[in-house]
Amino acid sequence: SASASRNATASGNQNIHAAWKVHVHCMVVNHDGNVVDALILGAVTALKDLILPMVKMQRDAVSGEEVVRLLHSADCDRHNNGGGGGGGDSDSEGGKERRKGKRLTFRKMCIPLTVGIFQGKMLVDPSMEEELLCDGMMTVVVDAMSLNDGDGGDDNDANMKDEDGEGNASSSNLTGDILSLSKSGGGILSTMEEIAACTQLAFGRAKELKSILL
């Protein structure tokens, strides 16, 4: 949904600002464990795929109030050609344009990793059966866009392979921003090294998924 607000400037003119409010609703259709990771990744993917329709402010003929009006494809072309709103995105299917608009700009990208705690050991991405046997669960959410390697350089080698041809996603040199760290149940991680290990696993997953989601 879109809403508009009105602010008066020092000169007496009124500036009208409109903003989108986006709601994300998640429905679980098959829960076989680790639903938290699935919901967060699903929400991030949905927001990355979202295209907001082009709009413009228009005065209502009846009330005289400024309202937000959605622009259709032909209106978008006229709006863009007139210099009012370039930079839109569009998807095509069978040569026919489906939608035009603007994508969201992400400053952070949440990547979660849930670890089960079983008899003092860590179990990554547990299934439902494994969750029932675990003493506790820990979920770490990191920012994939903040990733960098150990020497401070940007993480631009997300697709690099090691000598065995496997992705080197679990590199211990990765650093970045931790957005959330939560724990449920009675299992105990006794040392900071174990918590750091969970965090490194989350950074490894973020590196693996970064090139897919961006």
Side-chain angles (χ1 to χ4, degrees):
S1 60
S3 60
S5 63
R6 188 186 305 266
N7 293 325
T9 63
S11 61
N13 297 325
Q14 290 186 331
N15 293 330
I16 300 175
H17 304 278
W20 285 100
K21 182 168 64 174
V22 179
H23 298 270
V24 178
H25 300 273
C26 299
M27 178 179 294
V28 178
V29 295
N30 184 13
H31 180 11
D32 191 32
N34 202 6
V35 69
V36 173
D37 289 13
L39 291 177
I40 294 177
L41 289 174
V44 170
T45 304
L47 291 173
K48 286 291 295 181
D49 189 58
L50 173 65
I51 295 180
L52 298 174
M54 299 292 288
V55 297
K56 78 171 188 177
M57 304 301 298
Q58 188 176 55
R59 187 174 298 278
D60 185 76
V62 177
S63 65
E65 295 290 329
E66 293 283 350
V67 296
V68 180
R69 186 172 74 88
L70 297 180
L71 297 179
H72 299 289
S73 296
D75 295 329
C76 287
D77 292 335
R78 289 194 296 268
H79 190 60
N80 291 337
N81 291 336
D89 293 324
S90 63
D91 292 344
S92 298
E93 184 176 29
K96 295 183 179 179
E97 182 183 82
R98 290 193 298 140
R99 52 183 176 171
K100 280 190 173 183
K102 293 185 177 181
R103 295 186 182 273
L104 297 177
T105 300
F106 283 76
R107 293 186 177 90
K108 296 182 183 294
M109 180 171 293
C110 302
I111 301 295
L113 181 76
T114 296
V115 176
I117 306 168
F118 178 70
Q119 296 181 354
K121 297 180 174 61
M122 295 181 295
L123 183 63
V124 177
D125 195 12
S127 65
M128 174 65 81
E129 183 178 1
E130 291 167 339
E131 284 186 9
L132 296 176
L133 296 175
C134 285
D135 303 316
M137 309 288 293
M138 172 174 287
T139 299
V140 182
V141 182
V142 299
D143 176 19
M145 300 183 72
S146 71
L147 285 181
N148 54 72
D149 54 28
D151 58 6
D154 290 336
D155 177 35
N156 294 322
D157 57 346
N159 295 320
M160 289 182 63
K161 303 292 182 179
D162 58 22
E163 294 179 356
D164 297 327
E166 299 295 333
N168 189 24
S170 59
S171 170
S172 60
N173 293 327
L174 290 175
T175 60
D177 294 337
I178 301 174
L179 303 179
S180 172
L181 195 153
S182 59
K183 179 181 172 295
S184 62
I188 298 176
L189 290 176
S190 58
T191 65
M192 289 300 296
E193 285 76 12
E194 291 175 319
I195 298 176
C198 293
T199 304
Q200 278 300 314
L201 290 171
F203 285 142
R205 169 180 278 187
K207 180 177 181 179
E208 182 181 355
L209 297 179
K210 180 179 179 180
S211 60
I212 300 174
L213 294 176
L214 288 180

